[in-house]
């Protein structure tokens, strides 16, 4: 579980001391070997928004600005890098402000849930909401998470504490009023009911990763109790799921207190905006055909738009060109595929080359799309739907042929289940298949 929080004065001091550039002032005894790779820009430099023309003046900076503008490995945390999503952001604000509901944001992996929730948090803080962010891990425990949330709510917001309270009260938090042993959702709701002078939003990101059923039961119980008491605390849950039930389970008691919002694929103009913002930040230009190709291959995913845009632009920078062309996009995508393939276990790489596997390529691609569930398991009917084929028997035969000796899939037949379910055995295979299909679709 990661919590975003302010640093303590001690931590700030320590960081400042660390930041003092004693190493930078050190003069090397012998001249550095010019052939060794170096950093382009000092870590202490503030890049700001790179201006047009940076490319000629400082290619190193342009490269860093590119990494900054189109990094695919990190969520966007500020509005100046955030493209599109007006509709869902508007709906989220309305659900919180007008409906006073708890909200569940769900969508496929990498579609932009965490980025959306960060930008929403920034917007809510401007409106003086107290927004607390927690990222759930597999091991997340209800007690720990909500105790930490409570520790970030100053006791001055408690209806029983006067705003003119003495110094001692200023340093205390709601956590000080919690049972030191066990955090009970009903008691927590009672405590949160005492909040005055602000509204609190508790963001539970990556909620799909929570494996403890007690955590989920407690969250449902908390939502019910907070709603019944009209407390000034609202929860925002996000997670990988294709529908609301998949993420929160079927809990009729809290259904009317929850607004579910789907974070779907980004529309073409939104993906275009991602690339345009990168152009502004780096001074590079995407040629129209390069831009269209990236957008087509992205299939609505901001992750893919950034990844492919970044790799294509990197190739243009390598050759000191300002314009990113279609050939850069293709070469960049092929390089990503080669890297992903090299990252797979050797045995899996060999399996993917086998004739029987190549013959099953269409089913594999459909399976890769069907595997975007929170736990990666899918059924034959999911694959058939993705493949647009009614041939259930044929698809079952193909999937079964890829378990066992060719062990691309795990297969499981639960007691009483009408059909077996499958899962890719090796992480990364589904993503590799998805991107190679996108490249093939783009006409290469
Ligand atoms: N609105 C946006 N504008 C620009 N880039 C975005 C936007 N939304 C997401 N991205 C980019 O897409 C990638 C995935 O985003 P993010 O991590 O927010 O998705 P997620 O749905 O939380 O993923 P996961 O399912 O893995 O938790 C990141 O590289 C992020 O920078
Ligand atoms: Mg996320």
């Amino acid at each position: 579980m990661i919590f975003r929080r302010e640093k303590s004065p001690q931590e700030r001091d320590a960081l400042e001391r660390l930041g003092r550039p004693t190493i930078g002032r050190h003069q090397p005894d012998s001249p550095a070997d010019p052939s060794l790779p170096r950093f382009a820009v000092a870590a202490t430099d503030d890049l700001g928004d790179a201006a047009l023309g940076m490319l000629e003046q400082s290619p190193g900076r342009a490269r860093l600005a590119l990494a900054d503008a189109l990094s695919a490995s990190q969520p966007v945390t500020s509005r100046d890098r955030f493209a599109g999503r007006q509709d869902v952001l508007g709906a989220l604000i309305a659900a919180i402000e007008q409906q006073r509901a708890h909200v569940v944001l769900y969508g496929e992996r990498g579609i932009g849930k965490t980025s959306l929730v960060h930008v929403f948090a920034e917007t809510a803080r401007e409106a003086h909401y107290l927004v607390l962010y927690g990222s759930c891990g597999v091991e997340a425990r209800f007690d720990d998470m909500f105790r930490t949330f409570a520790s970030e709510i100053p006791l001055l917001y408690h209806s029983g504490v006067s705003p003119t309270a003495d110094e001692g009260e200023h340093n205390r938090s709601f956590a000080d009023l919690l049972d030191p042993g066990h955090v009970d959702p009903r008691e927590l709701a009672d405590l949160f009911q005492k909040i005055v002078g602000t509204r609190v939003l508790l963001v539970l990101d990556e909620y799909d990763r929570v494996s403890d059923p007690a955590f989920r039961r407690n969250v449902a119980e908390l939502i019910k109790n907070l709603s019944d008491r009209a407390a000034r605390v609202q929860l925002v849950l996000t997670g990988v799921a294709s529908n609301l039930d998949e993420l929160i389970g079927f809990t009729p008691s809290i259904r009317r207190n929850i607004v579910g919002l789907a974070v779907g694929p980004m529309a073409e103009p939104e993906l275009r905006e991602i690339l345009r913002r990168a152009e502004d930040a780096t001074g590079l230009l995407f040629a129209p055909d390069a831009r269209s190709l990236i957008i087509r291959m992205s299939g609505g995913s901001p992750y893919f738009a950034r990844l492919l845009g970044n790799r294509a632009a990197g190739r243009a920078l390598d050759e000191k060109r300002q314009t990113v062309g279609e050939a850069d996009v293709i070469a960049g995508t092929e390089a990503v595929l080669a890297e992903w393939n090299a990252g797979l276990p050797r045995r899996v790489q060999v399996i993917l080359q086998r004739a029987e596997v190549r013959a099953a390529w269409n089913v594999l691609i459909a399976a890769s799309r069907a595997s975007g569930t929170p736990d990666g398991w899918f059924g034959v009917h999911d694959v058939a739907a993705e493949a647009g084929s009614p041939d259930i028997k044929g698809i079952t035969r193909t999937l079964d042929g890829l378990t066992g000796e060719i062990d691309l899939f795990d297969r499981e037949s639960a007691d009483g289940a009408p059909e077996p379910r499958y899962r890719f055995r090796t992480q990364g295979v589904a993503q590799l298949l998805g991107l190679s299909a996108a490249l093939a679709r783009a006409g290469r």
Side-chain angles (χ1 to χ4, degrees):
M1 170 172 37
I2 306 160
F3 276 92
R4 204 158 284 269
R5 58 181 180 86
E6 290 294 313
K7 293 189 173 52
S8 71
Q10 292 86 341
E11 281 173 285
R12 256 187 252 125
D13 275 349
L15 280 173
E16 235 166 61
R17 274 199 302 282
L18 275 176
R20 276 183 201 134
T22 47
I23 296 172
R25 288 199 205 103
H26 175 71
Q27 294 296 317
D29 301 333
S30 54
D33 177 350
S35 66
L36 282 177
R38 287 159 179 253
F39 284 88
V41 181
T44 44
D45 279 5
D46 185 9
L47 264 183
D49 263 343
L52 208 73
M54 179 203 291
L55 191 61
E56 297 95 64
Q57 290 153 23
S58 171
R61 272 176 172 261
R63 194 169 289 282
L64 218 73
L66 172 65
D68 228 30
L70 278 182
S71 148
S73 57
Q74 284 173 354
V76 173
T77 52
S78 71
R79 258 182 303 206
D80 52 343
R81 299 251 182 278
F82 186 75
R85 296 289 192 209
Q86 262 95 347
D87 291 357
V88 57
L89 186 59
L92 176 54
I93 292 173
I96 292 291
E97 188 173 44
Q98 288 159 31
Q99 294 170 256
R100 295 286 186 224
H102 305 273
V103 180
V104 176
L105 287 169
Y106 58 91
E108 1 177 315
R109 180 155 305 291
I111 205 70
K113 302 174 293 294
T114 299
S115 303
L116 179 71
V117 104
H118 278 302
V119 168
F120 164 72
E122 190 180 324
T123 312
R125 287 190 185 111
E126 279 172 8
H128 302 290
Y129 281 79
L130 178 60
V131 188
L132 304 175
Y133 174 90
S135 178
C136 304
V138 184
E139 306 282 317
R141 291 193 48 234
F142 184 82
D143 270 42
D144 297 341
M145 190 155 217
F146 283 85
R147 202 179 287 284
T148 311
F149 278 144
S151 75
E152 310 220 351
I153 308 176
L155 203 57
L156 286 176
Y157 290 123
H158 193 288
S159 58
V161 176
S162 137
T164 54
D166 64 27
E167 190 68 13
E169 299 288 34
H170 284 251
N171 297 325
R172 297 182 64 207
S173 73
F174 273 66
D176 295 328
L177 301 185
L178 282 173
D179 182 322
H182 166 72
V183 180
D184 175 84
R186 217 157 310 142
E187 283 166 24
L188 195 61
D190 282 340
L191 182 61
F192 284 165
Q193 193 185 4
K194 308 271 167 48
I195 290 177
V196 290
T198 189
R199 297 195 69 92
V200 179
L201 300 177
L202 305 180
V203 178
L204 275 78
D205 197 11
E206 325 288 343
Y207 190 70
D208 57 291
R209 299 181 65 209
V210 173
S211 57
D212 177 10
F215 188 118
R216 290 164 181 269
R217 265 198 315 275
N218 283 340
V219 167
E221 190 67 25
L222 178 64
I223 288 178
K224 169 113 186 53
N225 282 277
L226 287 172
S227 308
D228 289 350
R229 289 164 177 70
R232 300 169 74 89
V233 176
Q234 286 159 277
L235 267 59
V236 178
L237 270 47
T238 84
V240 178
S242 55
N243 60 58
L244 188 57
D245 284 345
E246 218 171 73
L247 197 62
I248 57 161
F250 184 64
T251 36
S253 61
I254 57 168
R255 251 313 165 73
R256 68 196 157 83
N257 308 120
I258 286 186
V259 169
L261 293 175
V263 186
M266 285 181 108
E268 197 177 312
E270 297 180 304
L271 295 169
R272 249 173 227 288
E273 192 184 331
I274 292 183
L275 298 178
R276 192 182 45 69
R277 280 169 190 262
E279 287 180 334
D280 291 347
T282 58
L284 287 163
L285 294 170
F286 287 93
D289 53 358
R291 201 179 307 138
S292 310
L293 184 57
I294 293 172
I295 290 169
R296 253 183 296 145
M297 285 199 292
S298 301
S301 156
Y303 166 72
F304 276 118
R306 287 172 83 98
L307 177 71
L308 303 183
N310 192 339
R311 298 304 287 260
R315 297 186 84 85
L317 281 182
D318 285 344
E319 293 172 14
K320 304 202 165 37
R321 279 183 282 113
Q322 188 176 14
T323 303
V324 185
E326 197 180 28
D328 295 319
V329 181
I330 293 161
T333 309
E334 282 167 349
V336 171
L337 282 171
E339 273 165 35
W340 284 359
N341 188 50
L344 295 175
R346 183 80 196 119
R347 196 179 51 76
V348 178
Q349 293 178 33
V350 172
I351 286 178
L352 287 174
Q353 294 307 321
R354 284 175 59 162
E356 310 92 297
V357 174
R358 291 275 151 183
W361 211 242
N362 286 343
V363 171
L364 274 170
I365 300 292
S368 78
R369 285 202 294 269
S371 71
T373 54
D375 57 7
W377 288 102
F378 55 87
V380 178
H381 283 88
D382 303 321
V383 181
E386 291 290 351
S389 156
D391 182 13
I392 300 291
K393 273 204 184 124
I395 292 174
T396 307
R397 222 174 312 119
T398 307
L399 290 174
D400 287 344
L402 300 172
T403 61
E405 196 247 322
I406 297 181
D407 57 351
L408 279 180
F409 296 115
D410 287 323
R411 180 182 192 275
E412 201 180 78
S413 299
D415 286 346
E419 60 175 40
R421 54 183 201 158
Y422 301 83
R423 182 169 69 177
F424 280 95
R425 278 192 77 119
T426 312
Q427 226 192 347
V429 170
Q431 201 175 30
L432 179 87
L433 289 167
L435 185 56
S436 71
L439 190 62
R441 258 200 327 273
R444 309 286 139 191

